Amino acid sequence: AQSVTQPDIHITVSEGASLELRCNYSYGATPYLFWYVQSPGQGLQLLLKYFSGDTLVQGIKGFEAEFKRSQSSFNLRKPSVHWSDAAEYFCAVGARGKLIFGQGTELSVKP
Amino acid sequence: DAGVIQSPRHEVTEMGQEVTLRCKPISGHDYLFWYRQTMMRGLELLIYFNNNVPIDDSGMPEDRFSAKMPNASFSTLKIQPSEPRDSAVYFCASSYRDRGGYTFGSGTRLTVV
């Protein structure tokens, strides 16, 4: 069965520091992979997606993610975090038309 | 485009009452999804439609839940009768084809007292 694991429930980083959020997936075929961000009281906004091709994908707000098939991972990165990046981040895998989400990682940013 | 529009934004109802949540997908999108978000269970897919036809409703918790999509521009999720454990944020999302990149609505926060 398809599944997504985000090992870190909560991460705190200092403003200006780099960020990496981990995501591991389980899917038998070539996955479609996504990262979404959710600010408090808001819906989910798509940050980036991977379908095929270049394994390093660029997204909005300065985020990028790298697909590593050998590790079944799709980690999200940002070189320098801003206070406005504080939110919850969800990794998802697309499976036969539907999205399966991880449990999310809450990001806090220290001044 | 105005995006995916959900109504109401907030709903407070008493246990046993019928609740209807509404969703207008993005024009031209052929997939529509209903998700529920709670602290305990995270984001759960309840049901999704393709070209107005329900494809997978295995996530619908029980018979008290039903969803319809009478046309390409409107869908409803109904809970009858509602129970306190139904309290959650319900999201509607739509996409073009099945390659994801879903657009989510702002959600309906349902509180059943």
Side-chain angles (χ1 to χ4, degrees), chain A:
Chain A
Q2 305 87 13
S3 66
V4 177
T5 301
Q6 294 180 245
D8 304 305
I9 295 174
H10 188 210
I11 284 182
T12 300
V13 299
S14 298
E15 190 167 16
S18 63
L19 170 70
E20 182 169 27
L21 302 182
R22 296 183 292 163
C23 172
N24 293 96
Y25 67 90
S26 173
Y27 187 58
T30 300
Y32 299 154
L33 296 162
F34 308 84
W35 275 99
Y36 283 83
V37 61
Q38 184 180 30
S39 297
Q42 302 296 313
L44 282 77
Q45 181 183 23
L46 179 66
L47 282 176
L48 47 79
K49 57 190 175 186
Y50 171 79
F51 290 157
S52 65
D54 193 347
T55 56
L56 184 64
V57 294
Q58 303 296 320
I60 61 171
K61 305 185 180 186
F63 286 93
E64 67 178 26
E66 186 171 13
F67 170 59
K68 293 185 177 180
R69 184 186 299 275
S70 61
Q71 299 177 18
S72 297
S73 69
F74 189 57
N75 294 348
L76 182 71
R77 301 195 293 250
K78 187 170 185 178
S80 178
V81 169
H82 187 263
W83 65 266
S84 60
D85 294 324
E88 188 148 20
Y89 292 80
F90 293 92
C91 181
V93 62
R96 289 191 295 277
K98 59 187 181 183
L99 277 182
I100 308 298
F101 284 90
Q103 285 295 97
T105 297
E106 184 178 354
L107 173 66
S108 298
V109 180
K110 291 190 301 186

Side-chain angles (χ1 to χ4, degrees), chain B residues 71-89:
Chain B
N71 56 61
S73 58
F74 184 66
S75 177
T76 60
L77 178 67
K78 186 175 294 186
I79 307 173
Q80 166 63 16
S82 57
E83 296 183 2
R85 60 193 168 119
D86 302 330
S87 298
V89 181

Side-chain angles (χ1 to χ4, degrees), chain B residues 7-108:
Chain B
S7 63
R9 286 298 308 273
H10 302 273
E11 177 81 36
V12 180
T13 190
E14 292 186 346
M15 182 174 61
Q17 296 297 306
E18 177 180 295
V19 176
T20 299
L21 311 182
R22 297 172 177 80
C23 175
K24 176 179 169 57
I26 291 175
S27 176
H29 281 191
D30 55 351
Y31 281 80
L32 183 138
F33 306 83
W34 283 100
Y35 282 84
R36 178 171 68 175
Q37 186 178 36
T38 61
M39 288 292 291
M40 291 299 295
R41 301 174 68 91
L43 277 159
E44 303 173 274
L45 176 64
L46 301 178
I47 184 171
Y48 77 97
F49 297 83
N50 177 218
N51 292 322
N52 313 337
V53 176
I55 303 300
D56 184 347
D57 65 354
S58 59
M60 296 285 263
E62 47 197 277
D63 292 344
R64 297 184 298 105
F65 286 69
S66 63
K68 294 182 179 179
M69 192 165 186
N71 56 61
S73 58
F74 184 66
S75 177
T76 60
L77 178 67
K78 186 175 294 186
I79 307 173
Q80 166 63 16
S82 57
E83 296 183 2
R85 60 193 168 119
D86 302 330
S87 298
V89 181
Y90 291 81
F91 287 104
C92 176
S94 70
S95 74
Y96 176 61
R97 299 192 175 176
D98 64 349
R99 300 188 74 185
Y102 299 13
T103 302
F104 280 78
S106 297
T108 294

